[in-house]
Amino acid sequence: MLDGCKLKSACSLPFIYNKKINTAGTSNADVPLADPGMYQLDITLRRGQSLAARDRGGTSDPYVKFKIGRKEVFRSKIIHKNLNPVWEEKACILVDHLREPLYIKVFDYDFGLQDDFMGSAFLDLTQLELNRPTDVTLTLKDPHYPDHDLGVILLLVVLTPKEGESRDVVVEDMLEDEEDEDDKDDKDSEKKGFINKIYAIQEVCVSVQNILDEVASFGERIKNTFNWTVPFLSWLAIVALCVFTIILYFIPLRYIVLLWGINKFTKKLRSPYAIDNNELLDFLSRVPSDVQVVQYQELKPDPSHSPYKRKKNNLG
């Protein structure tokens, strides 16, 4: 039905860029065209705006697929960690007829996992004016959640009819350059695959570093609880341990575990809207880690430079 073309003769046809066209004007749906015919669709994928976040860090690694019917005709490169990506990529597509719309789907790349869906849209080719560039803004939607705003994709498209000799020249050029383009695409895909692997390794390293940092911070908070870094919290921890020891002396452990289980499993029934929390972790979150202690000491003013101390020394 259609093929992607990256041809010198086909893609260098003269047309005017950077000129906005009123899409409410006359479209090729009102012009009688021969069917079947061949059309050249030049697409410039410009950028995305306010795309949906699919990664844990609040970002995404978006790329775009273009399809007509069930066939993928173009796929963009991956822009890492960006919700407002700028592609500025061009594609040249040969279309047999205009009955099938151009489908645009955006995905978040995940190394080793299934890519996350970020939204889709479609462009009705019959509404395009022939031989004139048209700026198109497509709103991305999720068919399962149509009310969700998933951002927009900005395109520049030009639809050009190909008939007679021009059509024969395009087909001949396609056959001549097919092998060269396949080799180039293979090399580009290998290069992109290597770059994507590097980004994936970086993400794994950052995740491991964050986990180790949290574990180390947790251990430092436990240590600072009992070395009187914050005396009030240290006294509070000692009093709580003494009370718990006295309770264990008078009440068997099995009864304490039984009461704890009853409280845990009936909490949702007693307070259905209560937010789950862990008292021990809440307490430790108030104990500073070693990094926070150093930062506090750096911000703490030097008593020798206080005005009261300076005035006292002058009087002495």
Side-chain angles (χ1 to χ4, degrees):
M1 172 185 168
L2 48 95
D3 292 292
C5 64
K6 299 177 181 177
L7 307 174
K8 296 180 180 178
S9 61
C11 293
S12 61
L13 296 175
F15 47 76
I16 303 172
Y17 280 103
N18 300 326
K19 181 179 179 182
K20 291 188 177 180
I21 303 298
N22 183 8
T23 56
T26 304
S27 68
N28 60 19
D30 304 323
V31 180
L33 297 172
D35 193 15
M38 180 174 285
Y39 304 89
Q40 176 181 315
L41 181 63
D42 295 284
I43 304 172
T44 302
L45 173 60
R46 287 186 162 176
R47 62 185 184 274
Q49 293 180 349
S50 303
L51 301 185
R54 292 291 184 261
D55 294 336
R56 289 186 300 175
T59 60
S60 293
D61 305 319
Y63 68 92
V64 184
K65 290 182 180 180
F66 292 85
K67 289 186 177 182
I68 297 183
R70 296 186 177 181
K71 184 174 181 180
E72 181 178 324
V73 294
F74 178 70
R75 179 183 296 198
S76 73
K77 64 183 179 181
I78 301 170
I79 305 295
H80 291 275
K81 298 184 181 301
N82 200 329
L83 299 182
N84 298 284
V86 177
W87 283 283
E88 292 297 339
E89 293 187 56
K90 296 182 179 180
C92 180
I93 303 169
L94 291 181
V95 184
D96 284 344
H97 57 77
L98 305 180
R99 293 189 297 271
E100 292 282 355
L102 175 69
Y103 286 97
I104 295 94
K105 293 185 177 181
V106 184
F107 293 89
D108 169 46
Y109 175 78
D110 288 327
F111 177 74
L113 301 173
Q114 184 177 2
D115 295 342
D116 298 322
F117 178 70
M118 296 178 61
S120 63
F122 73 91
L123 175 62
D124 187 358
L125 300 181
T126 62
Q127 299 301 316
L128 298 177
E129 297 183 57
L130 297 177
N131 300 313
R132 299 189 67 181
T134 304
D135 289 299
V136 179
T137 300
L138 298 175
T139 302
L140 298 175
K141 293 292 183 182
D142 187 341
H144 300 289
Y145 304 97
D147 296 334
H148 290 188
D149 184 11
L150 302 180
V152 297
I153 293 291
L154 280 71
L155 309 174
L156 176 68
V157 296
V158 182
L159 184 64
T160 307
K162 292 292 177 184
E163 297 180 358
E165 296 180 358
S166 297
R167 175 172 177 170
D168 295 336
V169 170
V170 171
V171 174
E172 289 177 2
D173 289 339
M174 286 177 57
L175 294 176
E176 291 176 0
D177 296 344
E178 183 177 359
E179 293 183 0
D180 295 338
E181 293 298 331
D182 289 341
D183 294 339
K184 184 178 179 181
D185 291 340
D186 291 340
K187 292 180 180 179
D188 291 342
S189 62
E190 290 178 0
K191 184 178 179 180
K192 290 180 180 179
F194 179 73
I195 294 175
N196 293 336
K197 289 180 180 178
I198 293 178
Y199 277 112
I201 293 173
Q202 290 178 348
E203 290 181 359
V204 171
C205 292
V206 171
S207 300
V208 172
Q209 184 178 359
N210 291 336
I211 293 174
L212 293 177
D213 183 63
E214 291 179 2
V215 173
S217 177
F218 186 76
E220 291 171 357
R221 292 174 189 275
I222 294 176
K223 179 196 71 174
N224 292 337
T225 301
F226 298 99
N227 66 358
W228 305 95
T229 301
V230 183
F232 170 74
L233 296 178
S234 299
W235 275 114
L236 185 62
I238 291 174
V239 170
L241 288 175
C242 293
V243 172
F244 185 69
T245 303
I246 295 172
I247 292 175
L248 282 178
Y249 181 78
F250 291 102
I251 302 175
L253 180 62
R254 59 179 180 272
Y255 293 133
I256 297 176
V257 174
L258 180 62
L259 292 174
W260 175 82
I262 293 174
N263 175 67
K264 184 173 182 62
F265 289 106
T266 59
K267 184 182 296 184
K268 285 294 183 182
L269 297 176
R270 292 182 282 107
S271 301
Y273 301 106
I275 300 175
D276 292 335
N277 66 323
N278 189 302
E279 289 77 7
L280 180 59
L281 294 180
D282 289 344
F283 174 80
L284 289 176
S285 66
R286 289 163 172 78
V287 181
S289 62
D290 290 349
V291 175
Q292 293 173 334
V293 171
V294 173
Q295 292 175 347
Y296 173 75
Q297 292 175 350
E298 292 176 352
L299 295 175
K300 188 177 180 180
D302 189 355
S304 60
H305 298 293
S306 64
Y308 176 77
K309 184 74 174 180
R310 197 177 306 161
K311 183 178 180 180
K312 187 176 180 180
N313 292 335
N314 292 335
L315 292 175

